[in-house]
């Protein structure tokens, strides 16, 4: 691996601006290539990361994305943790509904991203922030 | 039960001094278990290679197969078991190639009993056990990748995408469609559309015995994805039972064009692209 | 900030997106394009996304908006060159790109625009009762 992304050593990208969202996409792409996700799976993962990174920036007021490669013994995968210390999500069920938006978007960010990955885990507390963990496994 | 440095040295010494006797006995035991399915010369070469790697490891003071000095030995072992797996030997037959060393070593050490013999043999034995387990693991992994490769080849074979006409490609699907295969079909079809610049695709499911919700969803998603790319899909060859299933499952085919046969679908596409077809002319004249 | 170039070829504006756009770049493109349509009086816009390895909901929305804006300005928009992996992902994401016309490549996109312009000419010509030689 020449990308410097090793199993267990996460790379962290701060999300403070528009350009950072682009950097998150590129970091996720390199990592996905390194663990040999299929082209379609790479595309799904990068798209999901793009949605969530933008959410972190717009709704969370900025934060970070931590990208690491993981293994469950049989398969390898990419795990990304998006964390912010923003206002949190008051009604999670509502936020995960297709078409629901408070930011004037299409409302596909959270629900769409969830469909694009294998594991989706979300923790949120009002006034404390939001932490979303996604994983995509190689087939 | 790690090997001490002196034990490693003594092992290397023992193996070097009685090289001839040891390898021939070792080869003999392995040959007996494989019943002539591998040539004696080939076997002797493998045993000698292992023997040499083990001596090197012993000299470098290997204490555990997993440590840095065991690298060369692990490489030889993994090559051996990968080859055996590909040649179709069983796991036991492969592992015996390693465990046979224990018997030949025991025979040797019984003749040269000393103060440390028992302790040494237990330590050597533990190392050989590690080697055996490692062989076993590599064997299983090699088999798994073999099976995965074959499954993939089968998938490729069973999903041809053919060009029917200028700008028209077709996928004749035959056999049971599971989710994985449906996904492969979808990706290959869409890629072919790009490669050939074809704006029309026909998915023919005459040869598909049954459709479940998931497979129907995959076909629907393919059609929608093709549309996003600027191509039209037509589904042909829907059997009566499948039509009933589709309706019973409540799957919406919406405005997707469906035709009874591949021929009908092709005629439909040609008509849309403005090519005259024989079936159309008489109707127009009447 | 990077800017996406807009080329004018005959009666068509060609936008070939070659970079991983930041959201700002996407918004800028949307504005630039509206201005160029008015300035050039072009009746067709082709957006080539062959080089894009992902289209997320933001870019998807930008494409829809561009299509709507150009419609208002009497120009037809065709998005061309979407990669299969991108299309599959968009379907999974639930984005349908409503109101956007698509074609496999730039050539097909130009044919599509030519054909729809020809249809409009045909209608206009029919009203006056004259023949036109427009071909699709």
């Amino acid at each position: 691996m020449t990308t410097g992304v090793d199993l267990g050593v996460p790379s962290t990208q701060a999300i403070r601006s528009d350009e950072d969202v682009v950097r998150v996409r590129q970091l996720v792409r390199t990592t996905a290539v390194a663990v040999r996700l299929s082209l379609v799976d790479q595309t799904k993962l990068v798209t999901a990361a793009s949605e969530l990174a933008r959410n972190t920036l717009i709704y969370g007021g900025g934060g970070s994305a931590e990208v690491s490669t993981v293994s469950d013994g049989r398969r390898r995968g990419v795990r990304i943790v998006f964390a912010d210390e923003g206002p949190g999500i008051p009604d999670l069920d509502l936020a995960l509904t297709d078409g629901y938006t408070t930011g004037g978007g299409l409302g596909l960010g959270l629900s769409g991203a969830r469909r694009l990955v294998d594991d989706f885990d979300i923790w949120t507390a009002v006034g404390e922030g939001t932490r979303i963990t996604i994983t995509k496994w190689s087939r | 039960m790690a090997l001490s440095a002196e034990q490693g040295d003594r092992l290397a010494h023992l193996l070097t001094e009685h090289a001839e006797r040891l390898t021939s006995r070792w080869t003999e035991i392995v040959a007996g278990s494989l019943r002539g399915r591998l040539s004696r010369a080939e076997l002797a070469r493998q045993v000698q290679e292992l023997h040499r790697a083990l001596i090197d490891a012993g000299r470098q003071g290997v204490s555990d197969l997993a440590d840095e000095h065991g690298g060369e030995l692990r490489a030889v072992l993994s090559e051996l078991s990968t080859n055996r797996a590909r040649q179709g030997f069983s796991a036991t037959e492969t592992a015996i190639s390693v465990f046979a060393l224990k018997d030949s070593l025991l025979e040797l050490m019984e003749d040269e009993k000393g103060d440390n013999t028992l302790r040494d043999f237990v330590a050597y034995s533990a190392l050989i056990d590690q080697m055996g387990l490692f062989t076993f693991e590599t064997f299983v992994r090699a088999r798994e990748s073999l099976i995965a490769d074959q499954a993939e080849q089968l998938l490729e074979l069973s999903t041809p995408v053919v060009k029917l006409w200028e700008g028209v490609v077709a996928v004749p699907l035959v056999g049971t469609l599971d989710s994985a295969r449906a996904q492969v079909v979808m990706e290959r079809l869409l890629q072919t559309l790009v490669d050939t610049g074809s704006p029309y695709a026909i998915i023919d499911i005459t040869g598909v015995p049954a459709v479940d919700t998931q497979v129907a969803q995959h076909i629907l998603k393919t059609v929608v994805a093709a549309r996003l790319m600027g191509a039209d899909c037509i589904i042909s060859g829907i059997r009566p039972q499948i039509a009933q299933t589709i309706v019973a499952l409540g799957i919406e085919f919406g405005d997707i064009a469906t035709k009874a046969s591949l021929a009908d679908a092709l005629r439909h596409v040609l008509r849309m692209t403005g090519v005259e077809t024989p079936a159309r002319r008489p109707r127009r004249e009447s | 900030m990077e800017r996406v170039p807009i080329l004018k070829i005959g009666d068509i504006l060609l936008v070939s997106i070659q970079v991983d756009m930041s959201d700002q770049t996407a918004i800028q493109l949307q504005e630039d394009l509206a201005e160029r349509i008015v300035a050039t009086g072009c009746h067709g816009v082709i957006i080539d996304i062959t080089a894009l390895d992902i289209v997320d909901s933001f870019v998807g929305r930008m494409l829809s908006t561009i299509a709507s804006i150009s419609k208002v300005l009497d120009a037809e928009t065709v998005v061309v060159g979407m990669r299969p992996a991108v299309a599959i992902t968009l379907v999974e994401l639930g984005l349908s790109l409503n109101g956007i016309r698509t074609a496999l490549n730039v050539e097909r996109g130009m044919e599509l625009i030519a054909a729809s312009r020809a249809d409009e000419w045909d209608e206009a010509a029919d009203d006056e009762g004259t023949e036109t030689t427009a071909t699709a």
Side-chain angles (χ1 to χ4, degrees):
Chain A
M1 263 185 278
T2 53
T3 55
V5 186
D6 289 323
L7 203 71
V9 183
S11 325
T12 306
Q13 170 68 53
I15 305 174
R16 298 267 164 245
S17 70
D18 247 16
E19 275 76 26
D20 287 341
V21 176
V22 177
R23 285 187 200 108
V24 169
R25 285 204 287 262
Q26 284 158 356
L27 177 63
V28 172
R29 166 78 61 179
T30 347
T31 317
V33 170
V35 303
R36 296 177 177 219
L37 289 189
S38 76
L39 183 63
V40 171
D41 285 343
Q42 282 174 35
T43 310
K44 286 183 178 172
L45 181 67
V46 177
T47 309
S50 182
E51 299 291 345
L52 296 176
R54 186 176 294 110
N55 278 358
T56 301
L57 180 67
I58 296 176
Y59 303 110
S64 67
E66 187 186 280
V67 184
S68 55
T69 57
V70 287
S71 168
D72 70 348
R74 208 168 56 79
R75 308 169 296 174
R76 298 225 287 156
V78 180
R79 174 163 298 159
I80 316 168
V81 181
F82 295 90
D84 66 58
E85 288 166 9
I89 304 170
D91 189 341
L92 195 55
D93 286 341
L94 189 61
L96 283 167
T97 311
D98 262 351
Y100 174 78
T101 177
T102 55
L106 292 173
L108 291 168
L110 272 189
S111 55
R114 181 157 71 163
R115 277 195 296 273
L116 294 176
V117 296
D118 297 320
D119 302 331
F120 183 96
D121 183 55
I122 183 164
W123 171 90
T124 184
V126 174
E128 287 178 48
T130 305
R131 199 181 157 84
I132 299 176
T133 308
I134 58 172
T135 314
K136 189 95 189 158
W137 298 102
S138 62
R139 301 215 181 280
Chain B
M1 271 321 250
L3 225 59
S4 69
E6 301 91 67
Q7 281 176 326
D9 248 6
R10 276 204 292 276
L11 175 64
H13 188 253
L14 190 70
L15 290 171
T16 326
E17 200 172 330
H18 304 280
E20 188 59 36
R21 181 179 160 194
L22 190 78
T23 51
S24 65
R25 179 76 186 114
W26 187 355
T27 314
E28 202 177 299
I29 299 174
V30 180
S33 75
L34 297 183
R35 276 168 273 121
R37 276 189 291 153
L38 209 60
S39 77
R40 195 76 179 211
E42 170 81 4
L43 211 57
R45 193 189 57 74
Q46 286 175 353
V47 164
Q48 269 154 22
E49 210 175 330
L50 255 179
H51 179 247
R52 187 188 45 73
L54 192 56
I55 292 175
D56 286 350
R59 282 209 185 112
Q60 286 163 4
V62 66
S63 70
D64 189 293
L65 185 63
D67 74 15
E68 51 187 317
H69 301 301
E72 173 68 18
L73 187 55
R74 288 199 302 270
V76 172
L77 284 171
S78 96
E79 196 198 324
L80 174 92
S81 57
T82 306
N83 281 338
R84 291 280 165 85
R86 294 202 177 270
Q87 287 159 349
F89 287 98
S90 75
T92 312
E93 285 164 338
T94 306
I96 278 183
S97 299
V98 173
F99 288 127
L101 169 62
K102 216 188 260 188
D103 291 343
S104 12
L105 208 55
L106 182 63
E107 286 170 23
L108 203 68
M109 289 171 82
E110 273 188 330
D111 294 350
E112 316 227 335
K113 265 189 213 134
D115 288 348
N116 300 319
T117 306
L118 182 63
R119 205 172 284 276
D120 282 1
F121 182 71
V122 170
Y124 300 166
S125 187
L127 180 68
I128 296 170
D129 286 346
Q130 280 184 352
M131 289 165 60
L133 284 176
F134 180 79
T135 315
F136 214 91
E137 236 164 66
T138 334
F139 179 90
V140 171
R141 224 173 299 144
R143 268 291 176 85
E144 267 172 11
S145 85
L146 203 65
I147 293 168
D149 285 353
Q150 285 170 345
E152 203 167 305
Q153 282 167 7
L154 208 64
L155 220 51
E156 300 256 310
L157 272 181
S158 59
T159 52
V161 180
V162 292
K163 181 175 169 180
L164 272 192
W165 203 273
E166 205 51 60
V168 188
V169 295
V171 243
L173 295 177
V174 178
T176 317
L177 268 182
D178 60 4
S179 192
R181 197 176 151 215
Q183 209 160 341
V184 172
V185 174
M186 173 164 167
E187 289 175 31
R188 287 188 51 154
L189 174 63
L190 297 179
Q191 191 53 55
T192 313
L193 292 177
V194 175
D195 295 344
T196 60
S198 309
Y200 292 100
I202 301 172
I203 303 173
D204 184 75
I205 58 171
T206 314
V208 179
V211 166
D212 61 13
T213 322
Q214 234 188 352
V215 171
Q217 287 296 350
H218 269 295
I219 296 178
L220 285 178
K221 281 179 186 168
T222 312
V223 177
V224 179
R227 265 193 201 154
L228 282 176
M229 293 166 56
D232 267 325
C233 282
I234 293 109
I235 299 170
S236 70
I238 301 179
R239 295 177 178 205
Q241 305 97 297
I242 293 184
Q244 287 185 18
T245 322
I246 289 172
V247 174
L249 289 173
I251 299 162
E252 276 295 337
F253 263 53
D255 53 350
I256 295 166
T258 50
K259 294 286 161 209
S261 68
L262 186 57
D264 282 347
L266 181 60
R267 197 175 293 131
H268 172 77
V269 171
L270 294 180
R271 199 174 297 159
M272 285 200 294
T273 52
V275 178
E276 289 289 315
T277 51
R280 196 180 165 187
R281 267 182 225 128
R283 211 182 296 165
R284 190 195 261 169
E285 280 160 10
S286 61
Chain C
M1 189 188 69
E2 285 181 278
R3 248 187 148 105
V4 180
I6 302 169
L7 307 175
K8 180 176 179 296
I9 302 173
D11 193 31
I12 286 172
L13 292 177
L14 176 65
V15 182
S16 183
I17 304 173
Q18 298 289 340
V19 294
D20 191 347
M21 289 187 294
S22 72
D23 293 357
Q24 271 308 315
T25 311
I27 292 168
Q28 186 67 50
L29 171 62
Q30 200 172 298
E31 288 168 6
D32 288 353
L33 202 51
E35 270 169 38
R36 289 275 285 177
I37 294 172
V38 174
T40 59
C42 282
H43 292 294
V45 176
I46 291 181
I47 303 175
D48 181 11
I49 58 166
T50 312
L52 283 194
D53 49 21
I54 70 151
V55 169
D56 60 13
S57 64
F58 193 87
V59 174
R61 186 157 53 121
M62 175 206 76
L63 293 174
S64 288
T65 312
I66 287 179
S68 310
I69 292 175
S70 48
K71 184 150 269 165
V72 173
L73 298 171
D74 190 26
E76 180 98 38
T77 304
V78 181
V79 172
V80 306
M82 186 184 291
R83 297 183 184 185
V86 172
I88 292 171
T89 303
L90 282 180
V91 173
E92 210 72 47
L93 190 63
L95 210 59
S96 52
L97 298 187
N98 277 333
I100 299 181
R101 302 186 72 182
T102 54
L104 288 171
N105 48 43
V106 174
E107 206 183 335
R108 296 258 178 212
M110 289 179 132
E111 285 171 13
L112 207 60
I113 289 177
S116 67
R117 297 305 295 175
D119 285 347
E120 277 181 38
W121 277 102
D122 276 351
E123 282 165 27
D126 285 346
D127 291 346
E128 290 162 26
T130 49
E131 280 282 320
T132 57
T133 51
T135 49

